[in-house]
Amino acid sequence: MMKGCQNECMAGGCSGETAKHVAESFKASDLIITPATTFKEKPDPNGLVFGTVFTDNMLTIEWSLASGWEKPYIKPLENLSLHPASSSLHYAIELFEGMKAYRGVDGKIRLFRPTLNMDRMARSARRATLPCFDQNELLECIRKLVEVEKEWVPYSTAASLYIRPTLIGTEPSLGVKKPTKALLYVIMSPVGPYFASGSFNPISLWADPKYVRAWKGGTGDCKLGGNYGSSIYAQQEALELGCQQVLWLYGEDHQITEVGTMNLFLYWINEDGEDELATPPLDGIILPGVTRQSILDLARNWGEFKVSERYITMSDLTAALEENRVKEMFGAGTACIVCPISKILYKGKHLHIPTMENGPQLTTRFLNKLSDIQYGREDSDWAVLVS
């Protein structure tokens, strides 16, 4: 992926002649740090609710077509001042990332495969016609922010500091066009287990093709806020039906795509009688999750069963359930790592998924392996030291 601002980058201010007199990217070495002088009390890591408490400081970097990127600032967390016509507010020209900092058993603070987040953020920026940036420079700015806020990284192996890089169009006009102004900012929030039911209780899903999360040629493979806001209505219906999350289906054959905001994995005996870990392929409607990639990398490295990126339909799943070929099914994402699935409501019937009866051996193994890397119990080049 592009490391700096390449000429093929279509996101404003990075092509041809204009690149000569505007700043193609901000530099971490230009970072101006004016940290907060009053400090909030740190919350108890055992009582954290996802994304409700924020650290004392934030990172902000402004961009305009006329001048390119301004210098990055770390400054006290504050409300944004936006023109009421800002394009992010009217046309959802914005994107975000989700990553975490972990305090290891050795006291050191680590990020987990952060370059994958930076790659994805750059791809999302291109798709949203927002300005491109040097991914390494942004990562260094984020590392500095975590360093400034290191006491906010929970002293717990059941909690972490969630990092939310965000890029919004601040074009002060109602024209539907590529913005000439933008703001990149990063806020951080200490978090515990994502699901209120606890970190490793199975969830129930509602599968109904009447709502679609993403479609071919759309933006499902980018982390754009519009993908999430439009999913809340279906999520509410799932809750009313007694399910915790939506199992998103696609197409006439009811392909299984994602679960809630997570990637989906099925561990089963496939049609050919092979033990297989399967997940839908990155065909444009699936978000390329960092946890998804890590699970695929681990499983392929283990070499103990077939690992496939393939289509799975609801009829494939129901047939496998009838023939007792399903072992485990789970969601995977930064917020929860892995989340076992025990029930799917589909066409008025409750399908029982025997994930918990089977250990869940594989789901637990992935959880333990990834947690060990994140919290420093195991050395890995996936973990990047902050301090």
Side-chain angles (χ1 to χ4, degrees):
M1 283 305 300
M2 44 171 241
K3 290 298 174 206
C5 235
Q6 305 301 326
N7 283 351
E8 70 265 19
C9 175
M10 298 305 292
C14 301
S15 60
E17 292 305 302
T18 54
K20 289 178 184 171
H21 61 267
V22 302
E24 286 188 13
S25 184
F26 47 86
K27 298 274 189 286
S29 57
D30 293 334
L31 190 59
I32 297 164
I33 303 177
T34 53
T37 51
T38 57
F39 306 106
K40 291 177 287 212
E41 193 180 335
K42 312 290 187 294
D44 178 349
N46 298 314
L48 294 168
V49 177
F50 184 83
T52 54
V53 178
F54 295 91
T55 65
D56 297 308
N57 295 283
M58 67 192 296
L59 170 73
T60 65
I61 317 166
E62 294 193 34
W63 175 87
S64 68
L65 184 61
S67 347
W69 287 102
E70 305 294 334
K71 288 182 177 177
Y73 282 84
I74 289 174
K75 61 184 183 180
L77 182 80
E78 61 182 10
N79 292 339
L80 302 180
S81 177
L82 294 175
H83 190 282
S86 290
S87 52
S88 56
L89 301 177
H90 295 265
Y91 308 123
I93 301 176
E94 55 82 52
L95 60 97
F96 67 95
E97 263 305 321
M99 51 203 287
K100 287 179 174 179
Y102 307 84
R103 188 178 299 278
V105 291
D106 55 359
K108 293 178 180 173
I109 296 170
R110 293 169 175 82
L111 303 175
F112 181 74
R113 306 191 82 176
T115 55
L116 295 182
N117 295 95
M118 297 297 98
D119 286 347
R120 187 171 63 186
M121 190 169 178
R123 289 195 300 273
S124 296
R126 273 210 298 277
R127 187 65 173 85
T129 68
L130 284 163
C132 53
F133 51 87
D134 187 305
Q135 292 144 247
N136 294 326
E137 296 293 337
L138 176 55
L139 184 53
E140 181 57 20
C141 289
I142 291 172
R143 197 188 68 75
K144 285 270 173 59
L145 179 63
V146 175
E147 215 167 51
V148 167
E149 299 286 51
K150 60 180 182 287
E151 286 307 308
W152 279 92
V153 183
Y155 285 82
S156 165
T157 54
S160 53
L161 184 65
Y162 185 79
I163 303 166
R164 174 56 68 94
T166 310
L167 180 54
I168 64 173
T170 53
E171 172 74 34
S173 94
L174 295 176
V176 183
K177 60 181 180 179
K178 186 165 84 172
T180 61
K181 288 189 171 180
L183 173 68
L184 195 163
Y185 65 91
V186 182
I187 54 178
M188 305 194 298
S189 170
V191 295
Y194 184 70
F195 294 103
S197 59
S199 60
F200 210 57
N201 291 336
I203 57 165
S204 56
L205 308 180
W206 176 54
D208 191 309
K210 71 176 173 176
Y211 301 119
V212 179
R213 189 196 82 88
W215 50 90
K216 296 281 172 72
T219 59
D221 58 346
C222 295
K223 214 160 172 63
L224 307 185
N227 296 344
Y228 295 78
S230 58
S231 74
I232 295 169
Y233 189 78
Q235 171 66 18
Q236 285 303 114
E237 195 162 330
L239 291 171
E240 285 164 17
L241 291 164
C243 299
Q244 286 155 291
Q245 295 281 333
V246 178
L247 177 59
W248 298 103
L249 305 180
Y250 181 75
E252 296 298 313
D253 55 353
H254 296 183
Q255 290 167 29
I256 295 168
T257 62
E258 294 194 4
V259 46
T261 58
M262 299 178 283
N263 293 119
L264 179 125
F265 284 86
L266 174 65
Y267 183 47
W268 68 339
I269 299 166
N270 68 15
E271 305 89 342
D272 301 321
E274 304 163 301
D275 284 359
E276 179 182 55
L277 179 68
T279 192
L282 300 180
D283 62 354
I285 66 169
I286 302 294
L287 188 76
V290 175
T291 309
R292 174 190 182 277
Q293 189 59 53
S294 303
I295 286 170
L296 290 171
D297 291 344
L298 286 174
R300 285 172 177 146
N301 189 45
W302 293 339
E304 297 168 20
F305 43 79
K306 187 174 185 179
V307 180
S308 304
E309 294 174 73
R310 54 162 286 182
Y311 294 105
I312 308 157
T313 64
M314 282 305 294
S315 59
D316 293 335
L317 178 63
T318 50
L321 285 168
E322 284 165 16
E323 295 163 15
N324 291 320
R325 291 190 283 110
V326 174
K327 297 182 177 189
E328 299 175 40
M329 195 173 185
F330 58 93
T334 295
C336 65
I337 306 185
V338 291
C339 181
I341 295 160
S342 60
K343 193 169 71 176
I344 299 172
L345 176 57
Y346 176 62
K347 292 184 174 177
K349 286 184 182 170
H350 288 282
L351 306 177
H352 176 70
I353 313 296
T355 305
M356 302 312 282
E357 290 88 323
N358 286 312
Q361 286 184 333
L362 191 61
T363 312
T364 305
R365 189 175 170 191
F366 284 127
L367 176 68
N368 291 342
K369 183 76 172 176
L370 292 171
S371 299
D372 284 349
I373 292 169
Q374 289 162 349
Y375 290 100
R377 289 183 289 259
E378 182 178 320
D379 282 336
S380 169
D381 56 8
W382 288 356
V384 175
L385 281 176
V386 172
S387 62

